[in-house]
Amino acid sequence: MTPGVQVADLIREDRVSSALYTDPELFELEMDRIFHRTWVWVAHESELPRAGDFRTAYVGRQPVIVSRDRRGGINVLVNRCRHRGASLCEVPKGNANGFTCPYHAWSYALDGKLRGIPYPDGYEDVLEKKDLGLQRLKVGVYAGMIFASFDADIEPLEDFLGGARLWIDRFMKQGAGYPIKVQGEHRFRFRGNWKIQLENTTDGYHFPIVHRSWMASVDAETAGMLSFMTDDNAVTHSLGNGHSVMVMVPEHVDLDEDDGTEQLQARFGHVIEELSRDFEPAKVRRIVRSMHGAGFNLNLFPNVAMSMSFFRVLRPVSVAETEIRHLALGLKGGPETVNRERLRIHEHFQGPFGFGSPDDSEAWDRVQRGVAAGPDMPILVNRGLQRERKADNGDRVSHATDETGMREGYAMWKAMMTDAH
């Protein structure tokens, strides 16, 4: 950081300093004051359906194992042997009876308890196994979303999510009566700071510009559904604690509500035909209206977005590199034809050969390169500042193309970085 500059001075209501993308010292502070202290999303319960299931994840830069133990409990454990520090698990997911260090074979139970030490005769009166279990993080679960924190005294997860809980509940309605499940994922990295991606999910302004090739590749009904630039009902809400939601398809905010006027898309004719063999027309309509997911992007500070029909998870790697995971969602126990079609939709936009993610990541790379060229110029986050209004529930609301969600995220960033939260 520049000598004499305080962290609080880097954030104003209408702009933020370019240093937030480029300063290694700020990045180190973020890992400590944000990712080490708040709730960080690590997995979805559908990824751990059976005892022994696990997946690896990160909280900031620290690798963790998320496991389901024999009693059905969810554990989040630091992926580090208590002996010499070797990582215990290097695969993304699987099923196991426990975790054994490959170095000296210290073995741990699914809940992290130290279970066995080879050749224990050298440890008499030196250690107690009960004192050397894996480091456990505090765990919170809401609507199947698993969060973890290094802060044992952190506020309850429900309080942290606050007004976002309503939108999480609405997001899960895309299951049309079936629980949501993760169908698969892919990951990639871009050469830019993590906050560039955090901003993107609440940035409706870029959509018809960056994604015009996608708009040209889909049927007119789908393109029309996402033409929200001039729709007054397409709005962004700030939800507190850095969270925000951007509504792009207002008629799909609550998928349980249906006035019957919406025509089902012709592109799903084959799905309707197949579903009609087993379901009543009302159920077919309910499922097909949910094919594109919820009508909004929900940004949960600091690392996960519930974006229409998938989860986008970010992991800061360095001040100028970020890893992204895209998790495609489906209906657990639902019709296979529906889950197959949802995967095709996901691939078309978010997949590695899709029309959306490659365009987004190119833009993110260019932001990082651009701020290096003008380090003294600020990043503007002032779009729609003068047309924000306060809703009855306290949310600040503006148009979906406005930067209200970014301002919410940076207000939380400032509060956490200055210990005001």
Side-chain angles (χ1 to χ4, degrees), residues 98-115:
F99 305 102
T100 300
C101 180
Y103 201 178
H104 300 91
W106 284 33
S107 61
Y108 301 87
L110 292 164
D111 62 2
K113 291 176 182 171
L114 178 58
R115 197 162 52 183

Side-chain angles (χ1 to χ4, degrees), residues 80-148:
R80 177 194 188 279
C81 181
R82 293 297 303 274
H83 178 212
R84 302 288 289 279
S87 65
L88 297 164
C89 183
E90 296 280 352
V91 297
K93 60 183 178 180
N95 185 276
N97 291 320
F99 305 102
T100 300
C101 180
Y103 201 178
H104 300 91
W106 284 33
S107 61
Y108 301 87
L110 292 164
D111 62 2
K113 291 176 182 171
L114 178 58
R115 197 162 52 183
I117 298 176
Y119 308 105
D121 46 302
Y123 286 114
E124 294 97 342
D125 301 325
V126 174
L127 63 77
E128 294 287 342
K129 287 197 291 187
K130 64 180 177 59
D131 297 330
L132 289 171
L134 299 179
Q135 184 180 359
R136 297 170 57 87
L137 278 68
K138 188 157 186 173
V139 177
V141 182
Y142 184 82
M145 305 287 281
I146 304 172
F147 297 80

